[in-house]
Amino acid sequence: MPEWPEMETYRRLLNDRLCGRKIVRATVNRAKSINEPEDAFVAGVTGTRILFVERRGKQLVFHLDDGNRLLLHLMLGGWLACGPEGPKEDDAFQIILEFDDGDHLYFGGLRLGHLHRMSAKQANEELKPLGPDPFDPRLTPDAFRSRLAARRGKLKSVLTDQKLVSGIGNCYSDEICFDAFVYPGTAVPSLDGETVERLYGSMKKVLAEAASYGGYMDKPLTPNDRLTGGYDSRCRVYDREGEPCVRCGTPIVKEELAGRKMFYCPHCQKAE
Ligand SMILES: [Zn+2]
């Protein structure tokens, strides 16, 4: 599932490409991907311009010039493509938006994901439960510590809870724990102050680095997109079971935690 760095990469690329563009046609191939009758959605978006694209946690918010918003959650397996024609290897797109300059935005893999049209007020309500962005200046080390202090669960489960901090999922929770030398299955109440401070620093470091390399998505936004997916080969532990730890050479271990995969180095990452 795309997380903070992947959605941040999309946000940057889409803002460069789509700001000010007018939607001249909309096609919906999967009614479940939207939140209103197809006719209403198509009539509602056609003729509007995209003012800018915002990211909230793992979601994108397209601000339209009629005051409405399009809320995109890619969930598991969703992806985006841009261009005059869709990528040839996969023409099963759930939604397609066409713009006044002939460009298209293709929404693929929206089996669980969705693109919902709503008012600004509804969008704010929808996004209200989300915790702060990892880079929100109000999320100081102290604020991070007190948010964690209220939790009882295992570290990985807590880090991936969008109400604690928004945007961290299965991959980056493991990468952050590796960077901070902490076992992701550690119970949060047993973390000491120093470790929490390290986690805070690692969270920002790992996410910023991953975004600077374009995240790990394997599908480029356009054929010329050299940014998207550059972090895939740089993940240190995620999906690297049995491979040597980049710090100590010990094989990376995979475990299950509450039904999710968890990767870590059993030598460098000790339980507190
Ligand atoms: Zn190691």
Side-chain angles (χ1 to χ4, degrees), residues 178 244-250 252 265-269:
F178 176 78
C245 168
V246 293
R247 288 193 296 233
C248 74
T250 306
I252 299 301
C265 169
H267 180 73
C268 299
Q269 293 171 265

Side-chain angles (χ1 to χ4, degrees), residues 95-146:
I95 302 168
I96 303 166
L97 300 180
E98 185 182 339
F99 297 92
D100 51 357
D101 59 352
D103 202 8
H104 294 69
L105 175 58
Y106 298 90
F107 299 81
L110 288 190
R111 289 179 301 279
L112 300 167
H114 56 248
L115 184 70
H116 287 174
R117 192 175 74 101
M118 54 183 72
S119 68
K121 198 174 164 217
Q122 287 170 319
N124 287 337
E125 279 301 308
E126 184 89 12
L127 298 167
K128 216 183 200 168
L130 288 180
D133 190 83
F135 292 87
D136 186 330
R138 289 164 295 186
L139 187 68
T140 59
D142 277 347
F144 182 70
R145 186 180 307 121
S146 54

